[in-house]
Amino acid sequence: MAEYLASIFGTEKDKVNCSFYFKIGACRHGDRCSRLHNKPTFSQTIVLLNLYRNPQNTAQTADGSHCHVSDVEVQEHYDNFFEEVFTELQEKYGEIEEMNVCDNLGDHLVGNVYVKFRREEDADRAVAELNNRWFNGQAVHAELSPVTDFRESCCRQYEMGECTRGGFCNFMHLRPISRNLRRQLYGRGPRRRSPPRTHTGHRPRERNRRHSPDHRHGRF
């Protein structure tokens, strides 16, 4: 019996533990789910909940109508966001193996940022220090995630451009970064932690807004 229970743990046959939470680290039923969400006490992966805001989904005029934001502008905004978060977390907490951002629309996945560190202790320290911090005018909510293999979490139909559920799919729709940025962040091997940057150094466009009124709460 013990072997059988271990073999079905986290699968759809498991009537006790939630398979979606096990695979994705999130469940659309939340606390109302009939199955258990076993939150890990240690993991290489953290999730920053609802951190990324796609400007195509949030840009509105004063009368409530949506502003048009081009795909090029969205990609530039996203690359700036990704580079800033990746760089600051790696410099402060340790080497990052993988970072993924959800572009889903469901409340339990929208804007979730999953960061897989090389070492579990780095992930644990990041969660402890990031909670109750602020980023772009919103409080950061960080927690350890059970997700370690994103191949099991991703929507394969979305990757092939064939997902019929759109943004409300229950599997991750991971937004890709540009090829040049991927080469820059992942292609040079582990980075050494750098000293704090001065205001004279080059910063992505998102960083230049740091001192605007909307960002007075500070960053990571």
Side-chain angles (χ1 to χ4, degrees):
M1 177 62 71
E3 290 183 4
Y4 173 73
L5 292 176
S7 69
I8 66 170
F9 179 80
T11 69
E12 293 182 4
K13 293 181 180 180
D14 189 341
K15 302 302 182 184
V16 177
N17 302 287
C18 177
S19 61
F20 272 101
Y21 182 78
F22 181 72
K23 291 180 181 178
I24 303 171
C27 168
R28 63 188 177 92
H29 298 295
D31 295 336
R32 301 186 305 276
C33 185
S34 61
R35 302 183 186 186
L36 295 178
H37 292 178
N38 290 303
K39 296 190 175 182
T41 55
F42 55 87
S43 175
Q44 291 175 260
T45 306
I46 71 171
V47 57
L48 308 173
L49 298 174
N50 312 125
L51 191 70
Y52 172 64
R53 295 178 179 179
N54 186 328
Q56 284 182 326
N57 300 330
T58 59
Q60 291 185 335
T61 59
D63 62 4
S65 60
H66 283 273
C67 299
H68 175 70
V69 183
S70 71
D71 291 342
V72 172
E73 290 173 315
V74 170
Q75 189 64 48
E76 181 181 5
H77 174 273
Y78 176 64
D79 281 352
N80 285 338
F81 166 86
F82 193 102
E83 181 179 9
E84 177 165 8
V85 173
F86 185 102
T87 301
E88 293 203 13
L89 293 184
Q90 181 155 260
E91 288 178 350
K92 287 186 177 181
Y93 302 113
E95 183 182 346
I96 293 174
E97 289 189 352
E98 188 174 357
M99 178 169 135
N100 293 295
V101 180
C102 291
D103 206 18
N104 301 65
L105 296 176
D107 291 342
H108 63 300
L109 284 176
V110 60
N112 285 0
V113 178
Y114 292 83
V115 184
K116 182 179 179 182
F117 288 92
R118 183 171 176 269
R119 303 193 308 168
E120 290 175 349
E121 51 266 44
D122 293 339
D124 190 61
R125 186 163 61 91
V127 167
E129 295 186 11
L130 287 172
N131 273 312
N132 301 317
R133 299 285 180 90
W134 292 80
F135 184 89
N136 279 356
Q138 63 177 318
V140 175
H141 183 183
E143 59 185 45
L144 293 175
S145 172
V147 179
T148 55
D149 186 350
F150 289 91
R151 294 171 298 180
E152 295 294 322
S153 311
C154 298
C155 173
R156 292 179 177 84
Q157 286 76 19
Y158 171 76
E159 293 174 349
M160 296 184 291
E162 299 174 355
C163 181
T164 58
R165 297 181 180 179
F168 291 96
C169 179
N170 285 322
F171 286 90
M172 292 183 187
H173 286 191
L174 299 181
R175 187 175 185 90
I177 56 176
S178 64
R179 185 174 301 176
N180 287 340
L181 181 58
R182 177 165 294 280
R183 187 182 302 115
Q184 173 188 334
L185 296 179
Y186 292 106
R188 298 185 300 190
R191 295 182 177 190
R192 294 182 178 177
R193 298 185 184 180
S194 351
R197 299 179 181 177
T198 64
H199 292 287
T200 57
H202 172 70
R203 297 170 184 258
R205 186 172 301 173
E206 283 286 312
R207 292 176 181 272
N208 294 333
R209 296 161 48 202
R210 178 172 303 206
H211 299 291
S212 65
D214 290 340
H215 304 85
R216 60 185 176 272
H217 298 291
R219 311 301 284 272
F220 293 141

